[in-house]
Amino acid sequence: MEIFLETERLILRRFTEDDADNLFELDSDPEVVRYANPGGKTRTYEEITDEVLPRFLFEYEKYGHFGHWAAVEKSSGGFIGWFEFRPFAEDLEEIELGYRLKKSAWGRGYATEGSRALVRKGFAELGVRRIVAIALVVNTASVRVMQKAGLKFEKRGMYPMYPDRDMEEVWYGLEKDDFLCASTHLP
Ligand SMILES: CC(C)(COP(=O)(O)OP(=O)(O)OC[C@H]1O[C@@H](n2cnc3c(N)ncnc32)[C@H](O)[C@@H]1OP(=O)(O)O)[C@@H](O)C(=O)NCCC(=O)NCCS
Protein backbone atom coordinates (compact mmCIF):
# COMPACT_ATOMS: atom_id res chain seq x y z
CA MET A 1 0.00 0.00 0.00
CA GLU A 2 1.48 3.35 -1.01
CA ILE A 3 0.69 5.86 1.72
CA PHE A 4 0.51 9.49 0.68
CA LEU A 5 -0.39 11.04 4.00
CA GLU A 6 -1.24 9.99 7.54
CA THR A 7 -3.28 11.98 10.07
CA GLU A 8 -4.42 11.16 13.57
CA ARG A 9 -7.37 9.06 12.35
CA LEU A 10 -6.87 8.66 8.60
CA ILE A 11 -4.52 7.19 6.05
CA LEU A 12 -4.59 8.59 2.52
CA ARG A 13 -3.26 6.05 0.06
CA ARG A 14 -3.11 5.54 -3.69
CA PHE A 15 -6.09 3.98 -5.40
CA THR A 16 -5.46 0.60 -7.03
CA GLU A 17 -7.32 -1.62 -9.51
CA ASP A 18 -8.90 -3.32 -6.46
CA ASP A 19 -10.88 -0.20 -5.48
CA ALA A 20 -13.70 -0.53 -8.02
CA ASP A 21 -16.16 -1.87 -5.42
CA ASN A 22 -15.23 0.90 -2.98
CA LEU A 23 -15.74 3.61 -5.57
CA PHE A 24 -18.98 2.09 -6.78
CA GLU A 25 -20.38 2.00 -3.25
CA LEU A 26 -19.49 5.68 -2.88
CA ASP A 27 -20.81 6.89 -6.23
CA SER A 28 -23.97 4.82 -6.25
CA ASP A 29 -25.31 6.68 -3.20
CA PRO A 30 -27.59 9.51 -4.46
CA GLU A 31 -27.01 11.56 -1.32
CA VAL A 32 -23.23 11.44 -1.73
CA VAL A 33 -23.23 12.55 -5.38
CA ARG A 34 -26.16 14.97 -5.13
CA TYR A 35 -23.97 18.10 -5.24
CA ALA A 36 -20.78 16.41 -6.39
CA ASN A 37 -21.32 14.68 -9.76
CA PRO A 38 -22.49 16.35 -12.98
CA GLY A 39 -26.26 16.55 -12.82
CA GLY A 40 -26.12 14.97 -9.34
CA LYS A 41 -26.10 11.55 -11.06
CA THR A 42 -24.99 8.27 -9.52
CA ARG A 43 -22.48 6.16 -11.46
CA THR A 44 -22.78 2.61 -12.74
CA TYR A 45 -20.18 -0.07 -12.06
CA GLU A 46 -19.06 0.19 -15.69
CA GLU A 47 -18.53 3.93 -15.38
CA ILE A 48 -16.32 3.27 -12.36
CA THR A 49 -14.23 0.56 -14.03
CA ASP A 50 -14.07 2.19 -17.47
CA GLU A 51 -13.76 5.89 -16.62
CA VAL A 52 -13.33 6.89 -12.99
CA LEU A 53 -10.72 4.40 -11.79
CA PRO A 54 -8.56 4.59 -14.95
CA ARG A 55 -8.61 8.39 -14.65
CA PHE A 56 -7.49 8.25 -11.02
CA LEU A 57 -4.67 5.81 -11.88
CA PHE A 58 -3.60 7.89 -14.86
CA GLU A 59 -3.34 10.99 -12.67
CA TYR A 60 -0.54 9.37 -10.64
CA GLU A 61 1.41 8.75 -13.83
CA LYS A 62 0.83 12.29 -15.02
CA TYR A 63 1.24 14.24 -11.78
CA GLY A 64 3.20 11.97 -9.41
CA HIS A 65 2.26 13.23 -5.99
CA PHE A 66 -1.03 14.89 -6.97
CA GLY A 67 -4.31 13.13 -7.63
CA HIS A 68 -7.21 11.45 -5.85
CA TRP A 69 -6.34 9.68 -2.60
CA ALA A 70 -8.33 6.87 -1.02
CA ALA A 71 -9.15 7.64 2.62
CA VAL A 72 -8.91 4.75 5.08
CA GLU A 73 -10.20 5.01 8.63
CA LYS A 74 -7.36 3.80 10.86
CA SER A 75 -9.63 2.44 13.61
CA SER A 76 -11.60 0.13 11.28
CA GLY A 77 -9.21 -0.24 8.34
CA GLY A 78 -12.18 0.54 6.10
CA PHE A 79 -12.37 2.71 2.97
CA ILE A 80 -14.41 5.83 3.76
CA GLY A 81 -14.05 7.87 0.56
CA TRP A 82 -11.48 10.09 -1.11
CA PHE A 83 -9.67 13.40 -1.12
CA GLU A 84 -8.71 15.20 -4.29
CA PHE A 85 -5.50 17.21 -4.42
CA ARG A 86 -4.42 17.79 -7.98
CA PRO A 87 -3.63 20.56 -10.45
CA PHE A 88 -6.61 22.77 -11.11
CA ALA A 89 -5.51 23.28 -14.73
CA GLU A 90 -2.03 22.76 -16.17
CA ASP A 91 -0.31 24.90 -13.54
CA LEU A 92 1.30 22.38 -11.15
CA GLU A 93 1.51 24.99 -8.41
CA GLU A 94 -2.23 25.67 -8.30
CA ILE A 95 -3.99 22.73 -6.71
CA GLU A 96 -7.67 21.94 -6.31
CA LEU A 97 -8.81 20.48 -3.00
CA GLY A 98 -11.88 18.22 -2.94
CA TYR A 99 -13.41 15.42 -0.88
CA ARG A 100 -16.13 12.79 -1.07
CA LEU A 101 -16.94 10.56 1.87
CA LYS A 102 -19.38 7.72 2.49
CA LYS A 103 -22.44 8.82 4.44
CA SER A 104 -21.47 6.58 7.33
CA ALA A 105 -18.32 8.70 7.77
CA TRP A 106 -19.99 12.11 7.72
CA GLY A 107 -20.09 14.43 10.71
CA ARG A 108 -16.96 13.18 12.47
CA GLY A 109 -14.54 15.84 11.30
CA TYR A 110 -12.79 13.56 8.80
CA ALA A 111 -13.10 15.92 5.82
CA THR A 112 -11.68 18.76 7.92
CA GLU A 113 -8.86 16.59 9.27
CA GLY A 114 -7.80 15.35 5.85
CA SER A 115 -8.11 18.76 4.21
CA ARG A 116 -6.04 20.55 6.82
CA ALA A 117 -3.30 17.92 6.50
CA LEU A 118 -3.31 18.24 2.70
CA VAL A 119 -3.09 22.02 2.87
CA ARG A 120 -0.11 21.76 5.23
CA LYS A 121 1.64 19.11 3.16
CA GLY A 122 0.97 20.93 -0.10
CA PHE A 123 2.55 24.17 1.05
CA ALA A 124 5.32 22.65 3.19
CA GLU A 125 6.48 19.78 1.00
CA LEU A 126 4.95 19.74 -2.45
CA GLY A 127 5.78 23.17 -3.82
CA VAL A 128 2.16 24.31 -3.97
CA ARG A 129 1.70 28.07 -4.40
CA ARG A 130 -2.11 28.25 -4.28
CA ILE A 131 -4.99 25.97 -3.30
CA VAL A 132 -8.54 26.38 -4.62
CA ALA A 133 -11.81 24.64 -3.80
CA ILE A 134 -15.23 24.96 -5.42
CA ALA A 135 -18.66 23.90 -4.19
CA LEU A 136 -22.30 24.63 -4.76
CA VAL A 137 -23.59 27.27 -2.37
CA VAL A 138 -26.23 24.81 -1.16
CA ASN A 139 -23.53 22.30 -0.20
CA THR A 140 -23.04 23.84 3.20
CA ALA A 141 -21.01 20.95 4.59
CA SER A 142 -18.47 21.26 1.79
CA VAL A 143 -18.21 25.04 2.11
CA ARG A 144 -17.73 24.70 5.85
CA VAL A 145 -14.85 22.26 5.30
CA MET A 146 -13.15 24.80 3.00
CA GLN A 147 -13.45 27.44 5.67
CA LYS A 148 -12.18 25.14 8.40
CA ALA A 149 -9.21 24.22 6.21
CA GLY A 150 -8.26 27.91 6.13
CA LEU A 151 -9.41 28.79 2.62
CA LYS A 152 -11.00 32.20 2.04
CA PHE A 153 -14.05 33.12 -0.02
CA GLU A 154 -13.13 34.53 -3.44
CA LYS A 155 -16.21 34.63 -5.68
CA ARG A 156 -19.57 33.10 -6.52
CA GLY A 157 -21.25 32.35 -9.83
CA MET A 158 -23.37 29.91 -11.81
CA TYR A 159 -22.32 26.30 -11.99
CA PRO A 160 -22.00 25.10 -15.61
CA MET A 161 -22.72 21.46 -14.76
CA TYR A 162 -26.17 22.35 -13.42
CA PRO A 163 -27.47 24.90 -15.98
CA ASP A 164 -31.07 23.86 -15.48
CA ARG A 165 -31.00 23.83 -11.71
CA ASP A 166 -30.28 27.46 -11.05
CA MET A 167 -27.48 26.66 -8.68
CA GLU A 168 -24.68 28.96 -7.71
CA GLU A 169 -21.19 27.86 -6.78
CA VAL A 170 -18.63 29.45 -4.50
CA TRP A 171 -14.87 29.55 -4.97
CA TYR A 172 -12.48 29.56 -2.06
CA GLY A 173 -8.69 29.90 -2.21
CA LEU A 174 -5.52 30.17 -0.17
CA GLU A 175 -2.06 31.41 -1.17
CA LYS A 176 1.08 29.93 0.34
CA ASP A 177 2.20 33.30 1.68
CA ASP A 178 -1.10 33.85 3.48
CA PHE A 179 -0.97 30.34 4.93
CA LEU A 180 2.56 30.84 6.27
CA CYS A 181 1.57 34.20 7.66
CA ALA A 182 -1.47 32.75 9.44
CA SER A 183 0.55 29.77 10.73
CA THR A 184 2.99 31.99 12.57
CA HIS A 185 0.09 33.27 14.66
CA LEU A 186 -1.05 29.81 15.73
CA PRO A 187 -0.53 28.92 19.38
C1 LIG B 1 -18.69 17.47 2.29
C2 LIG B 1 -18.28 16.29 3.14
C3 LIG B 1 -16.99 15.71 2.60
C4 LIG B 1 -18.05 16.78 4.59
O1 LIG B 1 -17.49 15.69 5.31
P1 LIG B 1 -17.52 15.58 6.89
O2 LIG B 1 -16.37 14.68 7.29
O3 LIG B 1 -18.87 15.20 7.34
O4 LIG B 1 -17.19 17.07 7.36
P2 LIG B 1 -16.70 17.47 8.80
O5 LIG B 1 -17.18 16.48 9.81
O6 LIG B 1 -15.22 17.74 8.72
O7 LIG B 1 -17.52 18.80 9.06
C5 LIG B 1 -17.07 20.04 8.65
C6 LIG B 1 -18.08 21.10 9.03
O8 LIG B 1 -19.25 20.99 8.22
C7 LIG B 1 -20.40 20.93 9.04
N1 LIG B 1 -21.36 20.05 8.40
C8 LIG B 1 -21.23 18.74 8.16
N2 LIG B 1 -22.33 18.27 7.54
C9 LIG B 1 -23.17 19.33 7.41
C10 LIG B 1 -24.46 19.50 6.83
N3 LIG B 1 -25.10 18.48 6.27
N4 LIG B 1 -25.01 20.73 6.87
C11 LIG B 1 -24.36 21.78 7.42
N5 LIG B 1 -23.12 21.67 7.97
C12 LIG B 1 -22.54 20.47 7.96
C13 LIG B 1 -19.90 20.35 10.34
O9 LIG B 1 -20.79 20.67 11.39
C14 LIG B 1 -18.55 21.01 10.46
O10 LIG B 1 -18.65 22.35 10.86
P3 LIG B 1 -18.53 22.79 12.42
O11 LIG B 1 -17.28 22.18 12.94
O12 LIG B 1 -18.52 24.27 12.35
O13 LIG B 1 -19.72 22.23 13.12
C15 LIG B 1 -19.38 15.19 3.15
O14 LIG B 1 -20.58 15.76 3.56
C16 LIG B 1 -19.56 14.54 1.78
O15 LIG B 1 -18.83 13.62 1.41
N6 LIG B 1 -20.58 15.00 1.03
C17 LIG B 1 -20.89 14.40 -0.30
C18 LIG B 1 -19.84 14.70 -1.36
C19 LIG B 1 -19.67 16.18 -1.57
O16 LIG B 1 -20.63 16.93 -1.65
N7 LIG B 1 -18.39 16.60 -1.69
C20 LIG B 1 -18.05 17.98 -1.92
C21 LIG B 1 -18.28 18.38 -3.31
S1 LIG B 1 -17.87 20.10 -3.56
Side-chain angles (χ1 to χ4, degrees), residues 12 23 27-29 75 121 153 167 178:
L12 303 194
L23 283 170
D27 273 19
S28 56
D29 182 338
S75 61
K121 185 178 173 83
F153 171 79
M167 283 189 170
D178 295 333

Side-chain angles (χ1 to χ4, degrees), residues 31-33 35-36 99-102 105-113 134-136 139-142 144-146 148:
E31 284 188 65
V32 169
V33 299
Y35 300 128
Y99 24 71
R100 184 175 301 191
L101 302 181
K102 282 172 25 176
W106 291 2
R108 294 195 225 160
Y110 285 149
T112 302
E113 185 173 318
I134 306 161
L136 292 171
N139 196 350
T140 39
S142 181
R144 188 76 192 112
V145 174
M146 295 173 191
K148 294 189 77 176

Side-chain angles (χ1 to χ4, degrees), residues 1-7 10-16 60 64-65 69-72 74 118 121 125:
M1 176 169 74
E2 187 166 346
I3 295 179
F4 177 66
L5 178 62
E6 189 171 347
T7 68
L10 300 174
I11 284 172
L12 303 194
R13 63 156 174 84
R14 274 190 183 215
F15 276 100
T16 73
Y60 304 133
H65 44 239
W69 305 98
V72 174
K74 281 188 191 173
L118 284 168
K121 185 178 173 83
E125 296 172 27

Side-chain angles (χ1 to χ4, degrees), residues 123-124 175-185:
F123 288 137
E175 304 279 335
K176 180 177 185 175
D177 289 349
D178 295 333
F179 172 75
L180 292 177
C181 200
S183 305
T184 57
H185 294 105

